[in-house]
Amino acid sequence: MSSTPENRPDPRKVTTSRLVEMKSRGEQIAALTAYDQIMASLLDAAGIDLILVGDSAAMVVQGLDTTVGVTMDHMLYHASLVSRGVNRALVVGDMPFMSFQVNPDEALRNAGRMVKESGVEAVKLEGGKVICRTVKRIVETGIPVMGHLGLTPQSIHKFGTYQVRATEEEEANEIRRDAQLLQEAGVFAIVLEKIPAELATEISGDLEVPVIGIGAGGGCDGQILVSHDMLGYYTEFHPRFVRRYAELADTMRGAFEHFVGDVKAREFPSVDESY
Ligand code: KIV
């Protein structure tokens, strides 16, 4: 659906408390990722509510096989570009693998760097019970935290596969418990990635904080996708939860080939394109 007067986004700045208000009045939260200023400003102008500077940068920008390799310095760089391009959306910086797992002090120091040095307004951490003490510490210091459960890509070497999580009751129960514990620890929202729709709907109904789904069905309080996936720009994977809104890789490949052909044939530049 395109923007109409009825569904046009509220022009006010999105804050963590406004996201909770949106949940309570049943307004869906629209979120996408960005890694640079130009993309971020396009998303902001389109009325996106939340922009995540995802550690997916490792895969869709750096071309790595997993998100594990991206560093704190890389994330600070991307996050500072994104923050500069945004007026309305809430900007969240993803904490990369091993920037928050060692202990709460180190996690707090890195979360503080993310906010102070890049200008993001919140951070996202993957994990459940094991990170709750860290989440509490960061939140108490005044930095809003978003949780992330289900298929948490930083644990890919433990999972061994990107397949749907929590199809067994034991893992589903663990996610139910972790979602409650994260809420108690003070997160303002939780991402649920690639879990059964029924489970995600149940957790969304049980929590007061918004649940943003990715591959978690239509019963969440909002949806997030990786922009490069939904644009058809990153085409290494195409899981069925990614709806492609464009086919940019094909368009770009065609444009590049066209340019090469024009140069070889001396058809570019024309007289009008010269001085
Ligand atoms: O890094 C990322 O892009 C993410 C989204 C998949 C939620 O964590």
PDB file of all heavy atoms in Angstrom, residues 120-139:
ATOM      1  N   VAL A 120      23.804   7.284  17.214  1.00  0.00           N
ATOM      2  CA  VAL A 120      22.574   6.487  17.253  1.00  0.00           C
ATOM      3  C   VAL A 120      21.860   6.740  18.584  1.00  0.00           C
ATOM      4  O   VAL A 120      22.461   7.244  19.534  1.00  0.00           O
ATOM      5  CB  VAL A 120      22.840   4.971  17.075  1.00  0.00           C
ATOM      6  CG1 VAL A 120      23.548   4.681  15.760  1.00  0.00           C
ATOM      7  CG2 VAL A 120      23.610   4.392  18.254  1.00  0.00           C
ATOM      8  N   GLU A 121      20.584   6.348  18.622  1.00  0.00           N
ATOM      9  CA  GLU A 121      19.778   6.642  19.822  1.00  0.00           C
ATOM     10  C   GLU A 121      19.545   5.415  20.689  1.00  0.00           C
ATOM     11  O   GLU A 121      18.974   5.526  21.783  1.00  0.00           O
ATOM     12  CB  GLU A 121      18.427   7.212  19.368  1.00  0.00           C
ATOM     13  CG  GLU A 121      18.607   8.513  18.615  1.00  0.00           C
ATOM     14  CD  GLU A 121      17.443   8.816  17.685  1.00  0.00           C
ATOM     15  OE1 GLU A 121      17.167   8.004  16.776  1.00  0.00           O
ATOM     16  OE2 GLU A 121      16.810   9.846  17.884  1.00  0.00           O
ATOM     17  N   ALA A 122      19.934   4.252  20.175  1.00  0.00           N
ATOM     18  CA  ALA A 122      19.708   3.005  20.908  1.00  0.00           C
ATOM     19  C   ALA A 122      20.647   1.949  20.328  1.00  0.00           C
ATOM     20  O   ALA A 122      21.210   2.150  19.247  1.00  0.00           O
ATOM     21  CB  ALA A 122      18.258   2.558  20.755  1.00  0.00           C
ATOM     22  N   VAL A 123      20.797   0.844  21.058  1.00  0.00           N
ATOM     23  CA  VAL A 123      21.633  -0.252  20.547  1.00  0.00           C
ATOM     24  C   VAL A 123      20.817  -1.544  20.541  1.00  0.00           C
ATOM     25  O   VAL A 123      19.814  -1.653  21.250  1.00  0.00           O
ATOM     26  CB  VAL A 123      22.910  -0.445  21.409  1.00  0.00           C
ATOM     27  CG1 VAL A 123      23.806   0.778  21.319  1.00  0.00           C
ATOM     28  CG2 VAL A 123      22.578  -0.763  22.866  1.00  0.00           C
ATOM     29  N   LYS A 124      21.259  -2.499  19.727  1.00  0.00           N
ATOM     30  CA  LYS A 124      20.606  -3.817  19.699  1.00  0.00           C
ATOM     31  C   LYS A 124      21.632  -4.891  20.048  1.00  0.00           C
ATOM     32  O   LYS A 124      22.768  -4.842  19.579  1.00  0.00           O
ATOM     33  CB  LYS A 124      20.006  -4.112  18.321  1.00  0.00           C
ATOM     34  CG  LYS A 124      19.407  -5.520  18.220  1.00  0.00           C
ATOM     35  CD  LYS A 124      18.567  -5.726  16.986  1.00  0.00           C
ATOM     36  CE  LYS A 124      19.340  -6.076  15.747  1.00  0.00           C
ATOM     37  NZ  LYS A 124      20.169  -7.299  15.839  1.00  0.00           N
ATOM     38  N   LEU A 125      21.202  -5.821  20.913  1.00  0.00           N
ATOM     39  CA  LEU A 125      22.066  -6.929  21.338  1.00  0.00           C
ATOM     40  C   LEU A 125      21.349  -8.236  21.063  1.00  0.00           C
ATOM     41  O   LEU A 125      20.157  -8.358  21.369  1.00  0.00           O
ATOM     42  CB  LEU A 125      22.317  -6.861  22.853  1.00  0.00           C
ATOM     43  CG  LEU A 125      23.461  -6.019  23.410  1.00  0.00           C
ATOM     44  CD1 LEU A 125      23.267  -4.542  23.116  1.00  0.00           C
ATOM     45  CD2 LEU A 125      23.567  -6.216  24.919  1.00  0.00           C
ATOM     46  N   GLU A 126      22.053  -9.214  20.531  1.00  0.00           N
ATOM     47  CA  GLU A 126      21.477 -10.545  20.320  1.00  0.00           C
ATOM     48  C   GLU A 126      21.616 -11.375  21.589  1.00  0.00           C
ATOM     49  O   GLU A 126      22.675 -11.352  22.229  1.00  0.00           O
ATOM     50  CB  GLU A 126      22.203 -11.276  19.180  1.00  0.00           C
ATOM     51  CG  GLU A 126      21.957 -10.673  17.818  1.00  0.00           C
ATOM     52  CD  GLU A 126      22.599 -11.469  16.682  1.00  0.00           C
ATOM     53  OE1 GLU A 126      23.065 -12.615  16.898  1.00  0.00           O
ATOM     54  OE2 GLU A 126      22.630 -10.920  15.561  1.00  0.00           O
ATOM     55  N   GLY A 127      20.566 -12.137  21.911  1.00  0.00           N
ATOM     56  CA  GLY A 127      20.682 -13.091  23.027  1.00  0.00           C
ATOM     57  C   GLY A 127      19.582 -12.928  24.049  1.00  0.00           C
ATOM     58  O   GLY A 127      18.875 -11.916  24.067  1.00  0.00           O
ATOM     59  N   GLY A 128      19.464 -13.952  24.939  1.00  0.00           N
ATOM     60  CA  GLY A 128      18.395 -13.971  25.940  1.00  0.00           C
ATOM     61  C   GLY A 128      18.936 -13.873  27.352  1.00  0.00           C
ATOM     62  O   GLY A 128      19.655 -12.931  27.674  1.00  0.00           O
ATOM     63  N   LYS A 129      18.588 -14.881  28.159  1.00  0.00           N
ATOM     64  CA  LYS A 129      18.903 -14.884  29.590  1.00  0.00           C
ATOM     65  C   LYS A 129      20.356 -14.479  29.874  1.00  0.00           C
ATOM     66  O   LYS A 129      20.628 -13.676  30.772  1.00  0.00           O
ATOM     67  CB  LYS A 129      18.641 -16.297  30.114  1.00  0.00           C
ATOM     68  CG  LYS A 129      18.722 -16.438  31.590  1.00  0.00           C
ATOM     69  CD  LYS A 129      18.319 -17.842  31.999  1.00  0.00           C
ATOM     70  CE  LYS A 129      18.470 -17.960  33.504  1.00  0.00           C
ATOM     71  NZ  LYS A 129      18.562 -19.320  33.958  1.00  0.00           N
ATOM     72  N   VAL A 130      21.273 -15.021  29.077  1.00  0.00           N
ATOM     73  CA  VAL A 130      22.699 -14.830  29.346  1.00  0.00           C
ATOM     74  C   VAL A 130      23.140 -13.356  29.258  1.00  0.00           C
ATOM     75  O   VAL A 130      24.130 -12.976  29.876  1.00  0.00           O
ATOM     76  CB  VAL A 130      23.516 -15.766  28.412  1.00  0.00           C
ATOM     77  CG1 VAL A 130      23.468 -15.299  26.974  1.00  0.00           C
ATOM     78  CG2 VAL A 130      24.932 -15.937  28.880  1.00  0.00           C
ATOM     79  N   ILE A 131      22.375 -12.522  28.544  1.00  0.00           N
ATOM     80  CA  ILE A 131      22.792 -11.109  28.418  1.00  0.00           C
ATOM     81  C   ILE A 131      21.927 -10.158  29.265  1.00  0.00           C
ATOM     82  O   ILE A 131      22.094  -8.943  29.189  1.00  0.00           O
ATOM     83  CB  ILE A 131      22.828 -10.631  26.944  1.00  0.00           C
ATOM     84  CG1 ILE A 131      21.433 -10.699  26.307  1.00  0.00           C
ATOM     85  CG2 ILE A 131      23.861 -11.387  26.139  1.00  0.00           C
ATOM     86  CD1 ILE A 131      21.263  -9.751  25.139  1.00  0.00           C
ATOM     87  N   CYS A 132      21.002 -10.716  30.051  1.00  0.00           N
ATOM     88  CA  CYS A 132      20.055  -9.827  30.755  1.00  0.00           C
ATOM     89  C   CYS A 132      20.744  -8.874  31.743  1.00  0.00           C
ATOM     90  O   CYS A 132      20.351  -7.711  31.868  1.00  0.00           O
ATOM     91  CB  CYS A 132      18.961 -10.642  31.439  1.00  0.00           C
ATOM     92  SG  CYS A 132      17.707 -11.127  30.223  1.00  0.00           S
ATOM     93  N   ARG A 133      21.787  -9.354  32.429  1.00  0.00           N
ATOM     94  CA  ARG A 133      22.505  -8.496  33.377  1.00  0.00           C
ATOM     95  C   ARG A 133      23.150  -7.322  32.614  1.00  0.00           C
ATOM     96  O   ARG A 133      23.124  -6.170  33.059  1.00  0.00           O
ATOM     97  CB  ARG A 133      23.584  -9.320  34.101  1.00  0.00           C
ATOM     98  CG  ARG A 133      23.962  -8.799  35.476  1.00  0.00           C
ATOM     99  CD  ARG A 133      24.569  -9.909  36.321  1.00  0.00           C
ATOM    100  NE  ARG A 133      25.813 -10.420  35.740  1.00  0.00           N
ATOM    101  CZ  ARG A 133      27.031  -9.943  35.992  1.00  0.00           C
ATOM    102  NH1 ARG A 133      27.184  -8.928  36.816  1.00  0.00           N
ATOM    103  NH2 ARG A 133      28.098 -10.477  35.437  1.00  0.00           N
ATOM    104  N   THR A 134      23.681  -7.632  31.459  1.00  0.00           N
ATOM    105  CA  THR A 134      24.314  -6.612  30.614  1.00  0.00           C
ATOM    106  C   THR A 134      23.277  -5.607  30.110  1.00  0.00           C
ATOM    107  O   THR A 134      23.494  -4.386  30.138  1.00  0.00           O
ATOM    108  CB  THR A 134      25.009  -7.313  29.413  1.00  0.00           C
ATOM    109  OG1 THR A 134      26.073  -8.090  29.935  1.00  0.00           O
ATOM    110  CG2 THR A 134      25.518  -6.338  28.396  1.00  0.00           C
ATOM    111  N   VAL A 135      22.126  -6.121  29.682  1.00  0.00           N
ATOM    112  CA  VAL A 135      21.060  -5.242  29.173  1.00  0.00           C
ATOM    113  C   VAL A 135      20.646  -4.261  30.268  1.00  0.00           C
ATOM    114  O   VAL A 135      20.542  -3.047  30.041  1.00  0.00           O
ATOM    115  CB  VAL A 135      19.842  -6.078  28.691  1.00  0.00           C
ATOM    116  CG1 VAL A 135      18.628  -5.190  28.433  1.00  0.00           C
ATOM    117  CG2 VAL A 135      20.199  -6.883  27.445  1.00  0.00           C
ATOM    118  N   LYS A 136      20.465  -4.793  31.481  1.00  0.00           N
ATOM    119  CA  LYS A 136      20.026  -3.970  32.615  1.00  0.00           C
ATOM    120  C   LYS A 136      21.041  -2.845  32.865  1.00  0.00           C
ATOM    121  O   LYS A 136      20.678  -1.683  33.044  1.00  0.00           O
ATOM    122  CB  LYS A 136      19.910  -4.875  33.849  1.00  0.00           C
ATOM    123  CG  LYS A 136      19.012  -4.383  34.910  1.00  0.00           C
ATOM    124  CD  LYS A 136      18.512  -5.558  35.766  1.00  0.00           C
ATOM    125  CE  LYS A 136      17.550  -5.059  36.814  1.00  0.00           C
ATOM    126  NZ  LYS A 136      18.187  -4.538  38.000  1.00  0.00           N
ATOM    127  N   ARG A 137      22.316  -3.210  32.846  1.00  0.00           N
ATOM    128  CA  ARG A 137      23.399  -2.252  33.109  1.00  0.00           C
ATOM    129  C   ARG A 137      23.367  -1.124  32.067  1.00  0.00           C
ATOM    130  O   ARG A 137      23.484   0.059  32.402  1.00  0.00           O
ATOM    131  CB  ARG A 137      24.728  -3.039  33.029  1.00  0.00           C
ATOM    132  CG  ARG A 137      25.948  -2.249  33.372  1.00  0.00           C
ATOM    133  CD  ARG A 137      26.240  -2.382  34.868  1.00  0.00           C
ATOM    134  NE  ARG A 137      27.087  -1.271  35.300  1.00  0.00           N
ATOM    135  CZ  ARG A 137      28.396  -1.240  35.150  1.00  0.00           C
ATOM    136  NH1 ARG A 137      29.020  -2.267  34.608  1.00  0.00           N
ATOM    137  NH2 ARG A 137      29.087  -0.196  35.544  1.00  0.00           N
ATOM    138  N   ILE A 138      23.191  -1.492  30.800  1.00  0.00           N
ATOM    139  CA  ILE A 138      23.212  -0.490  29.722  1.00  0.00           C
ATOM    140  C   ILE A 138      21.977   0.414  29.828  1.00  0.00           C
ATOM    141  O   ILE A 138      22.078   1.639  29.732  1.00  0.00           O
ATOM    142  CB  ILE A 138      23.285  -1.176  28.327  1.00  0.00           C
ATOM    143  CG1 ILE A 138      24.585  -1.979  28.188  1.00  0.00           C
ATOM    144  CG2 ILE A 138      23.176  -0.149  27.207  1.00  0.00           C
ATOM    145  CD1 ILE A 138      24.669  -2.831  26.923  1.00  0.00           C
ATOM    146  N   VAL A 139      20.819  -0.218  30.069  1.00  0.00           N
ATOM    147  CA  VAL A 139      19.569   0.555  30.169  1.00  0.00           C
ATOM    148  C   VAL A 139      19.621   1.512  31.365  1.00  0.00           C
ATOM    149  O   VAL A 139      19.230   2.682  31.252  1.00  0.00           O
ATOM    150  CB  VAL A 139      18.337  -0.394  30.260  1.00  0.00           C
ATOM    151  CG1 VAL A 139      17.062   0.385  30.550  1.00  0.00           C
ATOM    152  CG2 VAL A 139      18.177  -1.195  28.973  1.00  0.00           C
TER     153      VAL A 139
END
